[in-house]
Amino acid sequence: MSKTLDLLNEQQKDGVLTTEGPVLILAGAGSGKTRVLTHRVAYLIDEKGVAPYQIMAITFTNKAAKEMRERIDKLVGFGGEAVWVATFHSSCVRILRRFADRIGYDGRFTIYDGDDQKSLMKDICKRLEIDTKIHRERSFLSVISHAKENLIEPEEFLREAEGDFNRTRQGQVYREYQARLMANNALDFDDLIMKTVELLRRDSEVRDYCQRRFRYIMIDEYQDTNTAQFELVRLLADGYRNLCVVGDDDQSIYKFRGANIYNILHFEEHYPDAKVIKLEQNYRSTQNILRAANGVISNNTGRKAKSLWTDLGDGEKILLRQFDSAYEEAAFVATSIASMANRREYSYRDCAILYRTNAQSRLLEEKLVADNIPYKIFGGVNFYARREIKDLLSYLKVIDNAQDDLAVRRVLNVPRRGIGATSMDRVQAYANSSGIDFYQALTKANQIQGMTRAAAKILAFVALIERSRQVLAQEGISKCLLYIIDQTGYADGLKAEGTDEARARIENIDELINKVILYEQETEKPDLNDFLEQVSLVADIDNLDESADYVTLMTLHSAKGLEFSNVYLVGMEDGLFPSYMSITAENADEEIEEERRLAYVGITRAREHLILTAARMRMVRGQMQYASLSRFVEEIPSEVIDGNLPAEIMTGNFLWEDDEKSPRYGSRAYARKNAAEVHRTSSAQKYAAAAKNFGDSGKKPLDYQLGDRVLHVKFGEGQVTSIVDGGRDYEVTVDFDRVGIKKMFAAFAKLRKI
């Protein structure tokens, strides 16, 4: 064991040898925390003589638990299998299987997954006569999950909700939900933690047994624990207090899942005698990348002070590129990857593209497909394979070709119209017997035997499709899509859910709208069938062999714990990252600190090469919006950046437009404050006009004027009929000879006078 310890640095060694009492190991990104945990287990067994079964090591994912188990077995050898290595949930299942009868459950209880929960909630809403078109089942489940993460029982929830009609109704649903779970001898995933805490609190015999059994407890990724998990750990460790928690407050990015950063920030308050050990030597990244990460995260106030360093050398500077549009940004990323692969600097598998929201992947996917670059999306699915996108594309497919039975069946009851499987089977039987397709059978629903109740709902669906076809013929694809979204209430239903997942799905819908509008603008004769064909070609990338060499695409949240030689952080703009939701929130400081931790995680995924990209213009729900460079980029020390931005941007000062109310020179912070204020008081459509208040626009004078003949690379020749000053850019209307009238932004259109 002593020879093995010689491979550790002094701080890592301290973490291994400090075995008694509470210990907090602050492990910076890439600092070897798993090595410390596994060597600590081996030291306890080999040198301290602790029985393996008295050691508990808890982590968050099965993958992490499996890796830890393998490394412990390799270090310890015989007997290592007796060490309790598991996730929080699997640990609780093992305890509850043995002692669940103490709290009224049978040890053979069922664990409900997400689908089981939805089915149960659907029955409860029906029993309580709740209109699920207004109050979605998912929103109730989200509220219940949040309550359980904070150990709030139904009766306590109802007491706190007194006087609030909506909260009281949620409490009643919660109470009924728990009663039904117990009647079914079932627990959901949140129950596994909460019910184990209840067991340990209520039953001193079980609590004493568990505390004697687990004399040494280690918790990995402690910054991700929620309130219930904190209480579980406290109850288990209170016997011997040999508790070692390992984590990094700077990587606490799961607040939306219930993670409570104060568990790690206030550890010494709960354990005043705790020893704090900092792991700051990084074994992953170059020093320039670490300087960037340190520069960003140092702006957070709610953190434990630490600074990463490495002996791997300075490495390359961080490349920063700002483009006129998101399209140019995506094209640059694809070209850069292809160039590096061709020069054999990096293989595809060495490259990762990280973004803040799933919706950003759409343009990137299309450019990668166009350039023949293999890729795979992690932590999500192909943009066009996402449920909400497939639903809306299926509507468009039905409008284009109602003979597509699969598409018709997919959307017939989406959103739900009360058309069940039995009704669909009757329609199919009628279609078969009549020798017609499924959609034709739907048009004759009132003639189908046994369809009295569902016929009206089916015919309403048919009427929607027929009206949508009229909109398509008269106003085009984008207006048709917007009509479907409006008439079905698809997005409204997601808004009513109010969950993070629902908000992400709305962002994806907005990105689909962007795609359709761009297709119409860039195509001489837009056609729905042609559009659907283009989309299907992009979606075909899913057929790639997963074992092949491919580029990784994922959200920043999904990237935690991973590392790549060459990383692209895209969309580094205020309003996107950090999001406007965080910038304009009531608790904006707290929300932005969470976003800044996410930026820190993204930067520290890179080993050798880091590229940051941003777009001055980005389309949002069909409207071109302007954005300044992300404040997180500005927090990176300028000496580690190789950028294409003016020096005044790099130093944080820039020219303002002449304005009596604005100084000639100002800080980016002032501009951001102004931007946030405009966002609060302006709609998205007014944003472009308000953008001129945000700082230096970089708007170039036009070399053409009203009435001039101009040339567009795709649309050909035309005459300028209108020029509107939109603040950061001019909105130009051109009557093209071949394709008619088009509106576009000057910087985006790149028109040339002829």
Side-chain angles (χ1 to χ4, degrees), residues 480-613:
C480 177
L481 176 59
L482 289 168
Y483 180 78
I484 291 167
I485 294 169
D486 177 63
Q487 292 297 306
T488 61
Y490 199 109
D492 291 338
L494 292 172
K495 288 176 185 175
E497 288 182 23
T499 62
D500 290 291
E501 178 188 353
R503 281 189 285 271
R505 293 177 65 194
I506 291 171
E507 289 172 354
N508 290 336
I509 292 172
D510 289 345
E511 185 60 23
L512 179 62
I513 295 169
N514 293 344
K515 169 62 181 175
V516 174
I517 290 175
L518 282 172
Y519 167 79
E520 289 179 321
Q521 290 178 350
E522 297 172 357
T523 305
E524 184 174 341
K525 293 182 179 180
D527 177 77
L528 178 56
N529 184 265
D530 177 64
F531 171 76
L532 292 170
E533 181 180 324
Q534 287 190 22
V535 167
S536 67
L537 290 174
V538 172
D540 280 346
I541 198 71
D542 275 349
N543 296 325
L544 280 173
D545 181 0
E546 293 185 2
S547 64
D549 188 21
Y550 52 75
V551 176
T552 295
L553 277 74
M554 60 174 57
T555 65
L556 286 156
H557 281 102
S558 300
K560 186 169 173 290
L562 302 177
E563 57 186 76
F564 303 90
S565 295
N566 182 37
V567 170
Y568 298 81
L569 285 187
V570 301
M572 299 298 291
E573 305 136 31
D574 259 22
L576 182 58
F577 188 33
S579 68
Y580 277 120
M581 188 178 296
S582 61
I583 293 171
T584 60
E586 290 185 11
N587 59 334
D589 290 344
E590 183 180 327
E591 292 295 324
I592 290 173
E593 291 215 350
E594 174 99 354
E595 295 269 296
R596 187 175 282 111
R597 291 193 291 271
L598 193 56
Y600 172 83
V601 166
I603 292 169
T604 54
R605 297 313 93 193
R607 286 197 292 258
E608 302 167 2
H609 200 223
L610 176 63
I611 304 98
L612 309 178
T613 65

Side-chain angles (χ1 to χ4, degrees), residues 292-358:
N294 291 333
V296 171
I297 202 63
S298 63
N299 288 275
N300 272 6
T301 57
R303 66 184 293 261
K304 304 275 191 181
K306 53 189 170 300
S307 183
L308 296 179
W309 63 276
T310 186
D311 58 10
L312 297 177
D314 285 344
E316 298 179 31
K317 287 188 174 184
I318 293 163
L319 191 64
L320 173 62
R321 292 290 182 264
Q322 188 177 29
F323 301 92
D324 285 338
S325 69
Y327 181 87
E328 292 178 12
E329 176 191 49
F332 164 79
V333 171
T335 302
S336 171
I337 291 172
S339 177
M340 288 184 179
N342 289 337
R343 295 197 305 267
R344 299 186 183 279
E345 292 179 18
Y346 294 110
S347 62
Y348 292 133
R349 68 170 59 91
D350 294 325
C351 302
I353 307 172
L354 309 181
Y355 36 78
R356 179 63 183 84
T357 67
N358 273 311

Side-chain angles (χ1 to χ4, degrees), residues 227-244:
T227 300
Q229 289 161 338
F230 167 81
E231 181 64 5
L232 173 67
V233 171
R234 186 192 68 78
L235 288 165
L236 290 173
D238 265 4
Y240 290 86
R241 302 182 79 255
N242 296 326
L243 172 64
C244 174

Side-chain angles (χ1 to χ4, degrees), residues 3 55 92 125 173 201 243 260 281 311 327 434 437 480 489 496 502 539 571 624 651 662 695-696 698 701 730 749:
K3 289 183 179 179
I55 302 172
C92 289
C125 289
V173 170
R201 281 176 171 176
L243 172 64
N260 185 350
Q281 183 175 357
D311 58 10
Y327 181 87
S434 304
D437 61 47
C480 177
M624 196 63 75
T651 58
S662 300
D696 180 24
Y730 296 100

Side-chain angles (χ1 to χ4, degrees), residues 344-465:
R344 299 186 183 279
E345 292 179 18
Y346 294 110
S347 62
Y348 292 133
R349 68 170 59 91
D350 294 325
C351 302
I353 307 172
L354 309 181
Y355 36 78
R356 179 63 183 84
T357 67
N358 273 311
Q360 289 171 256
S361 76
R362 196 267 300 173
L363 275 176
L364 294 161
E365 290 182 66
E366 292 183 1
K367 287 307 298 177
L368 292 172
V369 170
D371 288 1
N372 238 2
I373 298 173
Y375 73 90
K376 182 180 177 184
I377 294 181
F378 289 83
V381 294
N382 175 288
F383 179 82
Y384 294 106
R386 290 166 188 156
R387 183 175 65 181
E388 58 278 6
I389 303 304
K390 289 190 74 172
D391 285 345
L392 293 173
L393 288 177
S394 291
Y395 267 106
L396 294 178
K397 287 178 181 178
V398 174
I399 292 165
D400 180 60
N401 173 24
Q403 291 180 306
D404 186 344
D405 285 1
L406 190 63
V408 177
R409 282 179 166 275
R410 180 180 182 94
V411 296
L412 180 57
N413 199 40
V414 174
R416 283 178 297 186
R417 300 181 173 89
I419 304 171
T422 301
S423 297
M424 290 191 194
D425 290 343
R426 286 175 177 159
V427 172
Q428 188 64 63
Y430 182 85
N432 294 341
S433 64
S434 304
I436 58 178
D437 61 47
F438 189 79
Y439 183 79
Q440 288 177 311
L442 291 178
T443 66
K444 304 177 185 297
N446 55 359
Q447 301 175 25
I448 301 174
Q449 189 174 2
M451 293 287 287
T452 52
R453 303 183 90 185
K457 298 170 183 176
I458 290 174
L459 291 175
F461 169 78
V462 172
L464 170 66
I465 298 301

